[in-house]
Amino acid sequence: MLVLTAGLWCSLHVQTDATMHTAALFAHLASLVLGFGAVLSADYYGLLWATRRCTLAEVLGATSRLHVPIWAGLGGLVLSGLMLHPDMDSPLTLTKLGLVAALTLNGLQAGLLARRLEAGAEMINPRLLLWGGATALVSQACWWGAVVIGFLNSNT
């Protein structure tokens, strides 16, 4: 959270020219494709497991390889977004920042869930299933919410 706060402070005090703004926008969109695409892939594997089309071991293997692109995409979104001069007086922007903070915290706890699942892959209990489902729902809500807000902000 300290990094997000420092980044917001910088975004309010550092000016970028039109070329840098265009580059930041491209980086923002590329990071969205990388991060959100990896999240969608991870959740797809979860759905495959839930419908008994693959094993939990396959899901854990696939999702563990997706952590790097997910975090790289999220980091790229945050860094490039700071150069896009967010309107800190806009309730939509503040909501988007809250979604990004929630997404970051959700990602951290998802790592704990993954370690717990890997440790006892044979003993999946209802509590772990609920935890996994809630993690996926929060992730999807935050990613889609931030995408919609970004779209709305780009058209105002």
Side-chain angles (χ1 to χ4, degrees):
M1 291 305 163
L2 182 61
V3 173
L4 290 176
T5 304
L8 284 174
W9 184 87
C10 288
S11 75
L12 297 172
H13 293 89
V14 175
Q15 296 298 318
T16 58
D17 61 8
T19 302
M20 182 58 92
H21 187 272
T22 300
L25 182 58
F26 178 81
H28 204 66
L29 294 173
S31 296
L32 175 65
V33 170
L34 178 65
F36 195 23
V39 165
L40 290 171
S41 295
D43 288 348
Y44 176 70
Y45 274 99
L47 285 174
L48 288 175
W49 175 78
T51 59
R52 302 177 196 268
R53 298 179 71 200
C54 70
T55 66
L56 184 59
E58 290 171 319
V59 173
L60 294 173
T63 57
S64 70
R65 289 185 290 275
L66 292 168
H67 288 273
V68 171
I70 290 169
W71 285 107
L74 182 59
L77 281 165
V78 170
L79 290 175
S80 60
L82 297 174
M83 291 189 286
L84 295 174
H85 300 292
D87 178 8
M88 299 308 291
D89 295 325
S90 166
L92 278 177
T93 299
L94 296 176
T95 301
K96 184 176 180 180
L97 292 173
L99 290 172
V100 170
L103 186 62
T104 302
L105 293 173
N106 191 56
L108 293 172
Q109 70 82 32
L112 295 174
L113 172 62
R115 283 193 286 285
R116 183 85 45 95
L117 288 170
E118 289 165 359
E122 303 83 35
M123 299 182 59
I124 303 301
N125 60 46
R127 184 175 156 268
L128 285 177
L129 287 175
L130 183 61
W131 184 0
T135 297
L137 287 174
V138 168
S139 175
Q140 289 293 316
C142 289
W143 278 99
W144 283 109
V147 166
V148 168
I149 290 171
F151 173 77
L152 293 173
N153 277 344
S154 71
N155 289 316
T156 58

